Amino acid sequence: MDGVEVSARLRARRLAEFTEIRLLIHHPMETGRRVEAGSGALVPANYIERLTLRLEGRIVADCRLGTGVAADPSFTFRLKTGAPGERVAASWRDTQGREGELSAVIE
Amino acid sequence: MRRRRCLKLLTALPWLGAAGRLHAATPFEAAWRALLGGVPPVLSEDMRLELPEMAEDGAQVPLTLSVGREDVEALFVLAEMNPVPLVASVELAADALPYLAARIRLNGNGVVWAVARCRAGWFYAQREARVARGGACG
């Protein structure tokens, strides 16, 4: 990733009925409609438009996001499958073309 | 007859632009139609959409959606008060539970809709949402 540093956290836990996956991405999710205080200029749009979640390399949730997702977006997903030790990965791309990826082992 | 004359009058007013613009769809109507075509979804008792009764901050509103069905293929969240009403679309694999928790933006008071595309058809749930402080243009 170049330019803005984007950090994220991913945690996956096997519970009795399902695997719970929590993802938090630090991202401004700029809508393109926000006016900067002071200059009065519009802050250019920059939001995560695509988010893909994989279990052991296979897509389990494929999301298209809009500007209605809050800044520093957080998501929780649940899978019937997933065993401790298996790997979950999240990857995303924002409207300025920056990509991010993070994986975690199911606890 | 009189109605026809009115229509003629409307189309004869070039400064109004295309007559259709008088009946322009709201962003929500356009998003709803783009998602569903002309087919209305069925109100589902199996869908649970949870939002705070009064969100403190429209820029950070927690939302939880879960569907008690086995045939859900995709989930959609729409906020009718937002300039871009389609908040998120989630395509789910067969082993993903029809569940989503996220934080969203709400640009004021209005209705939030959850739509599920299922093998048996389209279903929805809705919740009235109110925000104490408006939502940074979701």
Side-chain angles (χ1 to χ4, degrees), chain B residues 14-73:
Chain B
W15 57 87
L16 284 173
R21 204 179 295 167
L22 292 172
H23 312 284
T26 64
F28 175 71
E29 286 165 351
W32 186 257
R33 201 175 307 141
L35 178 64
L36 292 149
V39 185
V42 177
L43 180 64
S44 172
E45 306 241 311
D46 298 324
M47 290 179 71
R48 274 185 58 185
L49 173 61
E50 290 171 50
L51 291 161
E53 273 178 29
M54 170 66 91
E56 285 294 312
D57 182 0
Q60 293 280 346
V61 183
L63 170 148
T64 305
L65 169 63
S66 61
V67 187
R69 296 181 60 96
E70 294 286 326
D71 64 341
V72 182
E73 297 171 337

Side-chain angles (χ1 to χ4, degrees), chain B residues 41-131:
Chain B
V42 177
L43 180 64
S44 172
E45 306 241 311
D46 298 324
M47 290 179 71
R48 274 185 58 185
L49 173 61
E50 290 171 50
L51 291 161
E53 273 178 29
M54 170 66 91
E56 285 294 312
D57 182 0
Q60 293 280 346
V61 183
L63 170 148
T64 305
L65 169 63
S66 61
V67 187
R69 296 181 60 96
E70 294 286 326
D71 64 341
V72 182
E73 297 171 337
L75 298 172
F76 306 87
V77 176
L78 297 98
E80 68 170 13
M81 66 296 257
N82 286 7
V84 181
L86 183 58
V87 174
S89 311
V90 183
E91 297 284 336
L92 298 167
D95 59 327
L97 287 172
Y99 173 92
L100 179 71
R103 285 201 304 262
I104 67 170
R105 291 180 169 128
L106 296 178
N107 197 39
N109 302 337
V111 177
V112 176
W113 304 74
V115 176
R117 192 185 75 231
C118 306
R119 282 196 296 278
W122 293 77
F123 297 88
Y124 78 93
Q126 63 176 94
R127 277 293 286 270
E128 192 78 35
R130 293 190 302 147
V131 294

Side-chain angles (χ1 to χ4, degrees), chain A:
Chain A
M1 251 178 281
D2 57 320
V4 181
E5 185 72 26
V6 178
S7 64
R9 277 189 300 157
L10 178 66
R11 189 176 183 206
R13 283 184 306 158
R14 182 66 211 184
L15 304 172
E17 305 281 320
F18 49 80
T19 300
E20 185 161 88
I21 300 158
R22 288 167 173 261
L23 173 67
L24 172 72
I25 306 172
H26 292 289
H27 194 286
M29 297 297 283
E30 290 290 352
T31 62
R33 293 181 291 272
R34 189 171 69 87
V35 176
E36 200 166 37
S39 73
L42 274 181
V43 178
N46 178 24
Y47 57 92
I48 296 170
E49 57 179 352
R50 193 73 183 267
L51 168 66
T52 306
L53 192 71
R54 290 179 169 83
L55 170 65
E56 291 286 304
R58 178 178 56 85
I59 293 176
V60 287
D62 198 4
C63 313
R64 286 166 199 278
L65 310 178
T67 53
V69 171
D72 293 334
S74 78
F75 296 95
T76 306
F77 300 95
R78 289 177 176 174
L79 305 179
K80 290 182 218 170
T81 51
E86 290 187 320
R87 187 164 286 273
V88 168
S91 58
W92 58 93
R93 189 190 63 225
D94 70 24
T95 50
Q96 295 189 358
R98 287 189 202 89
E99 297 182 343
E101 191 171 14
L102 188 63
S103 74
V105 169
I106 298 173
E107 295 164 30

